[in-house]
Amino acid sequence: MSAGWLILKVGTATELALSQSAVHRLVHRDDPEFPSRIHEAVDMGAFLGCGLDPSLPGVIVALESGACWLVGDAMLQDPGEVLNYISLPVDVFAQDPPWSRGVLIGGSRWAYVAEESAMGRDRA
């Protein structure tokens, strides 16, 4: 995927931002491949302790690194949307390595910037 952000909706009020360049493929729930890939996906709602919103369609995000995440929905950053990155100190997350490195803020959007290397299957 190209430069920019992919916004991942996890819980009702929780969003993650992931660089589009980190994403290999999105597999939506209606894709025939979804059932065979679900067992390898880390449930981001469980990982973050917020639970997936059952009203969302469900998407597996396959990363270039080989990791797979289950999220509620995924959307590209709107081309006209201005998002400001704010770095957060690592001790805010009380995990080593932290699962986020900052937040994106703009308009009504507030999303954690995912640190993909810290959100693998071994951490879930």
Side-chain angles (χ1 to χ4, degrees):
M1 293 189 138
S2 62
W5 297 101
L6 183 68
I7 307 299
L8 308 175
K9 186 86 170 156
V10 181
T12 54
T14 305
E15 290 185 345
L16 294 174
L18 185 63
S19 170
Q20 289 180 33
S21 63
V23 179
H24 173 69
R25 183 164 179 241
L26 298 176
V27 181
H28 294 271
R29 187 174 299 277
D30 59 354
D31 188 306
E33 192 178 324
F34 189 91
S36 65
R37 305 266 331 243
I38 192 72
H39 72 280
E40 64 184 287
V42 175
D43 180 333
M44 282 295 117
F47 182 89
L48 298 174
C50 63
L52 286 181
D53 182 343
S55 70
L56 296 174
V59 176
I60 293 173
V61 181
L63 304 180
E64 290 289 349
S65 67
C68 289
W69 298 350
L70 174 64
V71 298
D73 204 0
M75 60 214 105
L76 294 174
Q77 172 189 355
D78 183 335
E81 186 176 28
V82 176
L83 297 173
N84 297 302
Y85 174 76
I86 298 173
S87 180
L88 294 174
V90 296
D91 57 343
V92 167
F93 297 97
Q95 289 182 324
D96 186 27
W99 58 266
S100 176
R101 54 188 160 102
V103 293
L104 286 182
I105 298 175
S108 62
R109 171 130 11 250
W110 194 98
Y112 292 102
V113 176
E115 183 59 57
E116 66 176 277
S117 63
M119 298 172 80
R121 178 168 294 288
D122 58 329
R123 296 286 306 266

